[in-house]
Amino acid sequence: MTPAELSRTVRHAVCRAVEDGALRVAVPETVRVERPRPGGSGHWASNIALRLAREAGRSAAEVAGILGRHLEQAPGIARVEVTGPGFLNLTLADGSQQTLVRSVLAQGPAYGLPPAAEPCAHDAEPCAHDAEPCAHDAESRAHDAEPCAHGGELRERVWGETLARMGARPAAGERLGVVPAPDQELAVRLGTDAARWALLAAAAHDRPRTEGLLVQQERNPLFRVRYAHARAHALARGARALGFAAEPVAPVDAPALTAAVADHPAAVADAARLRAPDRLARHLEAVADALLSFQHTVLPVGDEKPSAAHRSRLALAEAAGAVLAGGLSLFGISAPLHL
């Protein structure tokens, strides 16, 4: 884990503590980590607890203890100690990045999903269950005599189905309070995948954005996410043609992508706990953007021979592809192998 990755991990711990109500502070834009000072321990240290103590109305040691409990659960951190007036001292796990990638590759698209969720093993085809956000019964489908549910009911239903897959099934009669869909024929106009993305990617208080979701360009977030997933598979095909496969045997200098993959379980859990599927959509965009920026380093160039570095980079790219497939499956959106 690089210092940049560790900095983001500590900041994420602050975010989690604030969301849980354990701390009432403004989350800092950046968190500094440095080598431990005399009297410290571990590989890295942070004074973030001392910075937040006054605003939190607690001692720095108390703040450090709260953050430490979150950090102990973070991938790649073996031990957390509080020293002095409230310094967080962090010991990294050996081969933490490789361990993470091996775990993701072993679980595939199920990585980060709740135990009850079953990712769709469709890739090229949409999920059979709850795939259509505006499904008619057989009779009305035949002659289109009855309109779909009102736009508000439509979006409520899609959010409820998605949250249930995330392990947060809304209680009977619970209203999610979402801004209605633009119209009740959204799936007819956009198709199932784009309609579901429009309904889920906007925050509850925002009107779903439907413009540009059918255009294959970088400004379309749904295209970027699905394209990045397809690129991960394309890289694997290219590697097979060159005679090598993914194997996380060496550290890879890709802090943004590693952090995005590591954050996936927390992103799914936060989206479920906060009743906010849009948070998962933003996370998938971050994974896709990081993978698309990283992809050019994966395969050998010219006369370069495949090495341990290439195998490790491919493994990280495949792990990112698994994250994207799992996230899209929670949304009921297909993840094509070719795009």
Side-chain angles (χ1 to χ4, degrees):
M1 184 180 293
T2 66
E5 292 173 325
L6 186 58
S7 174
R8 284 190 290 272
T9 298
V10 177
R11 184 180 183 276
H12 185 67
V14 178
C15 292
R16 295 293 301 277
V18 170
E19 290 171 356
D20 291 345
L23 292 177
R24 300 188 65 176
V25 296
V27 178
E29 290 294 324
T30 59
V31 173
R32 182 181 178 186
V33 295
E34 58 186 3
R35 293 299 182 184
R37 299 178 182 181
S41 62
H43 297 120
W44 295 93
S46 174
N47 67 349
I48 184 63
L50 284 80
R51 289 174 53 192
L52 298 177
R54 176 173 293 184
E55 183 181 355
R58 296 169 176 264
S59 70
E62 288 179 300
V63 174
I66 293 170
L67 298 179
R69 287 191 287 274
H70 287 283
L71 286 167
E72 286 172 343
Q73 304 172 26
I77 295 182
R79 187 171 66 255
V80 180
E81 295 178 84
V82 179
T83 61
F87 287 100
L88 279 168
N89 290 255
L90 310 170
T91 300
L92 304 184
D94 292 335
S96 57
Q97 183 191 64
Q98 296 96 301
T99 300
L100 167 68
V101 172
R102 289 191 188 96
S103 176
V104 178
L105 294 181
Q107 298 176 61
Y111 166 72
L113 274 57
E118 295 182 2
C120 301
H122 49 60
D123 284 319
E125 299 179 3
C127 299
H129 56 278
D130 301 324
E132 299 184 11
C134 197
H136 298 275
D137 58 34
E139 182 178 357
S140 63
R141 187 188 296 275
H143 53 70
D144 204 30
E146 299 180 11
C148 294
H150 181 269
E153 297 175 2
L154 166 61
R155 196 175 182 209
E156 284 265 355
R157 185 170 72 246
V158 172
W159 273 50
E161 294 166 357
T162 303
L163 289 172
R165 291 196 198 102
M166 293 179 180
R169 187 177 298 277
E174 178 184 353
R175 299 304 300 271
L176 296 171
V178 294
V179 171
D183 62 74
Q184 58 196 22
E185 298 293 339
L186 201 61
V188 175
R189 291 194 297 106
L190 299 179
T192 295
D193 289 335
R196 292 192 74 91
W197 182 271
L199 296 174
L200 294 165
H205 58 273
D206 288 337
R207 182 180 176 85
R209 299 178 181 178
T210 61
E211 301 82 7
L213 289 179
L214 298 181
V215 181
Q216 295 194 10
Q217 60 183 13
E218 291 184 358
R219 288 178 304 206
N220 176 358
L222 174 59
F223 171 74
R224 288 204 316 277
V225 170
R226 298 172 83 206
Y227 177 66
H229 170 265
R231 284 300 304 155
H233 286 273
L235 292 170
R237 292 193 297 271
R240 286 196 296 272
L242 293 173
F244 74 98
E247 187 180 3
V249 293
V252 176
D253 185 16
L257 185 56
T258 303
V261 170
D263 284 348
H264 185 59
V268 173
D270 287 348
R273 178 171 52 86
L274 299 172
R275 299 291 201 268
D278 56 291
R279 295 175 67 94
L280 178 58
R282 292 195 295 273
H283 170 69
L284 295 178
E285 290 180 50
V287 176
D289 291 342
L291 175 55
L292 292 175
S293 296
F294 172 74
Q295 62 169 326
H296 307 291
T297 70
V298 173
L299 299 181
V301 178
D303 295 331
E304 190 179 10
K305 300 295 184 182
S307 65
H310 294 111
R311 297 198 301 274
S312 298
R313 292 172 196 154
L314 178 61
L316 179 57
E318 289 190 4
V323 164
L324 295 172
L328 287 170
S329 77
L330 287 176
F331 278 7
I333 295 175
S334 64
L337 300 179
H338 302 269
L339 195 63

